[in-house]
Structure formats: structure tokens, C-alpha cells
């Protein structure tokens, strides 16, 4: 469950560099062991909100990753943040990452299901995020079909508290993430800033 930058090497290592951003769901997994063909840096922090993730962007940009894998937002809803606040912050993340790292390949994962009381707001936020991804040439991965039970809450087989994932939950996530990362590698990188980014700058 590494949360350090020690897996980022320089020198003659030609493996792609993947940066993971998010909260405890991302922080709690050893991505380097799961992705031996890549160099991995995990910027995720337990308890992080979208505001917290935004504050770590300088570190992310400084690593110049080839790929970025992002998941954020569930802790905001746990703190009763609005859908608008969550969506605005994640959209800002995508815009800033694209502006600072125009050639990076970006995978944005849906905010995952948790307890049923949060379902409506999370699903509303995910609709906006899915639509916005095309604006910044990011790929979107919808994890709800794999992780939800009855389309309303996190499958109880995947968690003991309705929020954090157990081994079975991570395996269900990884089964979706693996092909998504393969598609991400096959996507052509951006070669110039997007017009919409220049206009908003």
C-alpha cells in the first residue's frame, strides 16, 4: 500500500510513468506491484477531498507523467458538499492538467458508489463528468456497473463499511481498470493545447 514517490525512477528506465490521484480508495492499493511494466507514483491521500487533490497539482506536474489516473469526490459528498462544487473542482483538475501537461494521457474514473443515501448526487455528478471529459480529451471509466448493487449503493460484498473496498472490491475495480489503461495507452497523446483551454486561460 505504497503512498510514496519511491517508485518513480529516472535513468534508463523506459517504462511509462503513471500518476494516480485521489483519496483513500486509490491510496490503499499498491499500484506499482499491480503494474510492473510501468513506473508508478501515487499522489492519493487518505481522506482527501477534491480541494485537497487540487492542492497537490504542483507535485503531479513536476513528475511529468505519461498517464494520469484520477478518482475523486466521494469524501466531498461525505462532507455534504454540493454536486456543483464537486463537478466544478474535478473539471478544474482536468483543465489544469491539460493546460500544464498538454501531451498527457488522462483517465478519469467515475465517483464510485457508496451508501445509498449518496447515490442520487454521485450519479448526477458522474453524468456531468462523463460529458466534460471529451472537452479536454480525457477518457472516462464508469465503475458503477462493476461496483454497485442495484444501481444505488456499493455492493456489500465489496466493502465492510459501505465506502472502502475489500479485496473483492479491488478485484472488481481492477477488472475494469486494466482494459481502460490498455485503451489509454493506445490513444494518441495531445500535441497542442486545446482551443477551449486557451480561451479560459
Amino acid at each position: 500500500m505504497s503512498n510514496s514517490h519511491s517508485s518513480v525512477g529516472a535513468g534508463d528506465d523506459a517504462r511509462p510513468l503513471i500518476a494516480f490521484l485521489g483519496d483513500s480508495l486509490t491510496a490503499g492499493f499498491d499500484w506499482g506491484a499491480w503494474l510492473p511494466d510501468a513506473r508508478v507514483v501515487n499522489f492519493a491521500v487518505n481522506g482527501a477531498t477534491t480541494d485537497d487533490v487540487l492542492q497537490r497539482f504542483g507535485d503531479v506536474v513536476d513528475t511529468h507523467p505519461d498517464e494520469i489516473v484520477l478518482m475523486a469526490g466521494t469524501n466531498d459528498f461525505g462532507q455534504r458538499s454540493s454536486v456543483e462544487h464537486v463537478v466544478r473542482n474535478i473539471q478544474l483538475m482536468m483543465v489544469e492538467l491539460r493546460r500544464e501537461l498538454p501531451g498527457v494521457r488522462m483517465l478519469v474514473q467515475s465517483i464510485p458508489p457508496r451508501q445509498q443515501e449518496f447515490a442520487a448526487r454521485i450519479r448526477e455528478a458522474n453524468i456531468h463528468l462523463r460529458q466534460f471529459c471529451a472537452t479536454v480529451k480525457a477518457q472516462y471509466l464508469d465503475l458503477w456497473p462493476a461496483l454497485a448493487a442495484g444501481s444505488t449503493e456499493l455492493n456489500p460484498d465489496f466493502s465492510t463499511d459501505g465506502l472502502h473496498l475489500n479485496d473483492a472490491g479491488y478485484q472488481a475495480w481492477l477488472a475494469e481498470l486494466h482494459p481502460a489503461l490498455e485503451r489509454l495507452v493506445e490513444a494518441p497523446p495531445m500535441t497542442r493545447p486545446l482551443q477551449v483551454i486557451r480561451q479560459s486561460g
Side-chain angles (χ1 to χ4, degrees):
M1 295 186 181
S2 174
N3 197 33
S4 70
H5 302 182
S6 60
S7 57
V8 179
D12 298 327
D13 195 336
R15 295 177 300 166
L17 177 59
I18 304 177
F20 284 83
L21 286 77
D23 48 45
S24 61
L25 294 174
T26 302
F29 190 77
D30 189 347
W31 301 103
W34 184 67
L35 294 167
D37 294 329
R39 293 171 294 146
V40 173
V41 57
N42 191 347
F43 289 102
V45 176
N46 293 343
T49 64
T50 55
D51 293 306
D52 298 323
V53 176
L54 279 168
Q55 292 178 3
R56 298 181 65 81
F57 269 31
D59 293 338
V60 177
V61 171
D62 288 344
T63 66
H64 297 285
D66 300 294
E67 303 167 23
I68 291 175
V69 181
L70 168 66
M71 178 197 283
T74 191
N75 288 323
D76 295 69
F77 288 115
Q79 297 181 7
R80 306 299 174 182
S81 294
S82 67
V83 171
E84 292 75 15
H85 178 83
V86 174
V87 170
R88 183 171 60 250
N89 271 359
I90 299 177
Q91 289 177 342
L92 179 59
M93 292 177 200
M94 288 189 261
V95 169
E96 289 298 320
L97 287 170
R98 181 58 73 208
R99 176 186 289 121
E100 296 294 332
L101 300 167
V104 75
R105 294 179 172 90
M106 196 185 318
L107 177 66
V108 177
Q109 300 167 101
S110 63
I111 304 169
R114 52 179 300 174
Q115 298 92 340
Q116 187 169 353
E117 64 183 285
F118 299 98
R121 283 177 291 160
I122 293 177
R123 291 177 72 88
E124 181 182 351
N126 282 336
I127 290 172
H128 291 290
L129 297 179
R130 177 194 288 272
Q131 294 171 342
F132 190 79
C133 277
T135 305
V136 292
K137 302 297 184 184
Q139 295 195 30
Y140 181 82
L141 174 58
D142 184 6
L143 293 172
W144 272 69
L147 298 180
S151 300
T152 60
E153 63 183 340
L154 181 60
N155 188 326
D157 292 338
F158 296 158
S159 177
T160 58
D161 62 2
L163 174 60
H164 297 96
L165 298 177
N166 57 24
D167 288 343
Y170 275 107
Q171 290 306 312
W173 178 6
L174 298 177
E176 300 298 316
L177 182 57
H178 187 268
L181 288 175
E182 289 184 337
R183 292 191 298 270
L184 189 68
V185 172
E186 295 168 357
M190 292 289 298
T191 56
R192 59 183 176 83
L194 292 171
Q195 182 68 25
V196 64
I197 305 298
R198 292 202 298 269
Q199 290 174 346
S200 65

